[in-house]
């Protein structure tokens, strides 16, 4: 059944698959289907070239014997992996160019700010109000109303570390 489908559509199978994968990337972006779609388009172009670019009469028979659908699938799989790695390297190189590195790290944005303790720090835990948010803080035991400076934030951004000013 697969041989019949491949022989009827020929290299256009890969072109259609490539365009379907590119459309899937547009509909549900994730920058993954893009590279597999590009690999399918490349295999389609190679199949088109091999199938129709014959110089000598015996070349078409030789190309058909070598470039079988099984070889095409293996080449597609290998090219998909290669293009995914190349794509990852291309996108990773751009990942370091962030203009706002603290954008989704609210706790880290608070480092250096000063505030007044809303609740005393007892046993190393208390609360401060920064803006409209009441933050959990850790630090030395201090009474409510003490001015403190934020010196750090936990990785989860749920708790700030403070010191008295």
């Amino acid at each position: 059944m697969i041989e019949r489908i491949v022989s009827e559509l020929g290299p256009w199978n890969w072109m259609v698959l490539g365009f379907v994968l590119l459309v899937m990337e547009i509909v549900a972006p994730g920058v993954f289907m893009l590279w597999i779609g590009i690999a399918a388009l490349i295999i389609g172009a190679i199949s088109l070239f091999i199938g129709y670019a014959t110089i000598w009469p015996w070349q078409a028979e030789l190309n058909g014997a070598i470039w079988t659908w099984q070889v095409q699938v293996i080449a597609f799989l290998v090219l998909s992996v290669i293009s995914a790695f190349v794509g990852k390297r291309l996108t990773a190189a751009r990942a370091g160019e962030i203009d706002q590195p603290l954008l989704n790290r609210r706790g880290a944005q608070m480092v250096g700010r000063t505030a007044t303790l809303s609740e005393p720090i007892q046993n190393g835990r208390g609360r401060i109000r920064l803006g409209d948010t009441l933050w959990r803080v850790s630090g030395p035991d201090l009474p409510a109303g003490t001015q403190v400076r934020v010196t750090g934030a936990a990785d989860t951004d749920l708790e700030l570390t403070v010191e008295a000013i």
Side-chain angles (χ1 to χ4, degrees):
M1 178 176 165
I2 292 176
E3 283 186 55
R4 184 176 60 83
I5 293 171
V6 171
S7 64
E8 286 177 7
L9 292 177
W12 298 109
N13 285 329
W14 295 110
M15 299 291 192
V16 169
L17 177 64
F19 285 118
V20 166
L21 290 169
L22 292 178
V23 168
M24 286 175 57
E25 180 67 32
I26 292 170
V27 172
V31 192
F32 187 76
M33 293 295 176
L34 171 71
W35 308 111
I36 298 174
I38 289 172
L41 290 174
I42 291 171
I43 295 297
I46 291 170
S47 298
L48 198 61
F49 179 75
I50 286 176
Y52 296 110
T54 56
I55 299 171
W56 298 284
W58 53 268
Q59 187 179 2
E61 294 174 11
L62 181 62
N63 289 346
I66 295 172
W67 193 246
T68 62
W69 69 269
Q70 294 94 341
V71 173
Q72 292 176 31
V73 169
I74 291 171
F76 168 68
L77 294 174
V78 169
L79 194 56
S80 293
V81 170
I82 291 170
S83 64
F85 280 124
V86 168
K88 183 175 179 174
R89 290 192 137 218
L90 287 174
T91 56
R94 299 173 69 197
E97 303 170 7
I98 299 173
D99 59 342
Q100 294 181 358
L102 301 177
L103 180 63
N104 291 323
R105 298 177 50 209
R106 280 193 66 208
Q109 292 175 6
M110 301 299 159
V111 174
R113 293 185 61 182
T114 59
T116 304
L117 283 175
S118 299
E119 297 176 12
I121 298 179
Q122 296 174 341
N123 298 324
R125 303 273 190 251
R127 292 192 185 274
I128 61 171
R129 179 170 299 278
L130 282 171
D132 62 350
T133 306
L134 195 61
W135 291 85
R136 235 182 352 194
V137 295
S138 62
D141 289 350
L142 298 168
T146 304
Q147 288 285 324
V148 292
R149 177 180 296 117
V150 179
T151 59
D155 289 337
T156 59
D157 280 347
L158 297 176
E159 186 173 77
L160 304 174
T161 306
V162 295
E163 65 181 16
I165 296 180

